[in-house]
Amino acid sequence: MIEIKHVTKTYSGGKKAVDDLSITINDGEIVGFIGPNGAGKTTTIKMITGVLNPDEGEILINGIPMDKEPLKAKLEFGLVPDQADIFLRLKGIEYLNFMADMYEIPGDIRKQRIAQLADTFEMNTALNDKILSYSHGMRQKIVIMGVLICDPRVWILDEPMTGLDPQSSFRLKEKMREHAQRGHTVFFSTHVLEVAEKLCDKVAIINHGKLVFFGTLEEIKALYPQAATLEELFLEVVAHA
């Protein structure tokens, strides 16, 4: 579960990137976080994960306050950031073992998970190469694998499909569904509204730092019955915000 309670973040110049945001993502839910460029999505994710501190409000991961117990809270989630260019001088296998070490995953379990995920994302032949040599899509896959190996209860994914080939994107969506079906939490931002429409239990729409809608697709369609797709619904919500 992720609880965001009246969170505000103001940057220099007085601009509020996030303005009094409150959302609760429950166990067993996949929630899509959508909004225009500059709406505050990445800032929100950085605050949820402890990269940035909110100016006001509180964030809890599975009931653990991020500001008071940051290390304990961070063990509850795995993050796929919006940029996969990290730890470039490590080999793929070194990165995966590093992540497993951070989450204290036993050797036999991590070995099994690495083998399974390398097959799933077709990364077997690349694990002994440095991440620096990877294509953008391969870097995205190794970061995703780092989260899945650790299997935290909460997944926080910032544009996770970016750069993935169709097969890997499909398999990631399957993993997201399986994770939620196990009673865990998936929170992800995306610009691909068709993905959100097919995958999400709920969507949160943010614009100019403010939450303008949070609920199921059925609820948003009831507000704008003339709109046929999530894309049309999104445009209606933003236009009327």
Side-chain angles (χ1 to χ4, degrees), residues 28-183:
E29 288 184 343
I30 300 176
V31 174
F33 195 36
I34 60 179
N37 289 333
K41 299 187 300 297
T42 295
T43 297
T44 299
I45 288 175
K46 286 182 177 179
M47 288 191 290
I48 294 172
T49 56
V51 176
L52 292 175
N53 294 320
D55 299 323
E56 300 174 26
E58 184 180 30
I59 296 169
L60 299 96
I61 310 293
N62 289 335
I64 303 168
M66 178 59 71
D67 59 339
K68 297 182 177 66
E69 300 180 83
L71 292 180
K72 188 176 179 181
K74 289 175 182 179
L75 285 173
E76 294 294 314
F77 69 79
L79 169 67
V80 174
D82 60 337
Q83 296 290 334
D85 298 332
I86 56 176
F87 298 101
L88 297 182
R89 296 193 179 277
L90 291 182
K91 294 179 181 179
I93 191 65
E94 292 172 337
Y95 173 73
L96 296 179
N97 277 305
F98 168 73
M99 291 297 295
D101 287 342
M102 294 287 287
Y103 285 79
E104 299 181 345
I105 306 301
D108 55 338
I109 295 176
R110 78 172 66 177
K111 186 176 180 180
Q112 181 182 24
R113 289 177 181 173
I114 288 171
Q116 290 173 342
L117 290 167
D119 285 339
T120 297
F121 291 103
E122 299 181 337
M123 289 288 286
N124 278 302
T125 59
L127 289 185
N128 285 312
D129 298 331
K130 288 189 175 182
I131 298 174
L132 185 65
S133 71
Y134 288 3
S135 67
H136 176 73
M138 291 170 68
R139 292 179 188 184
Q140 188 76 0
K141 286 195 279 189
I142 202 72
V143 172
I144 290 168
M145 289 170 64
V147 170
L148 302 191
I149 284 166
C150 301
D151 195 30
R153 290 184 58 84
V154 176
W155 290 1
I156 302 169
L157 317 174
D158 196 357
E159 299 287 349
M161 313 297 175
T162 301
L164 293 184
D165 58 82
Q167 189 175 32
S168 296
S169 181
F170 174 78
R171 288 173 175 172
L172 175 59
K173 286 181 280 188
E174 284 188 320
K175 294 288 185 184
M176 292 164 70
R177 290 190 185 96
E178 290 169 5
H179 195 66
Q181 288 168 359
R182 289 164 55 200

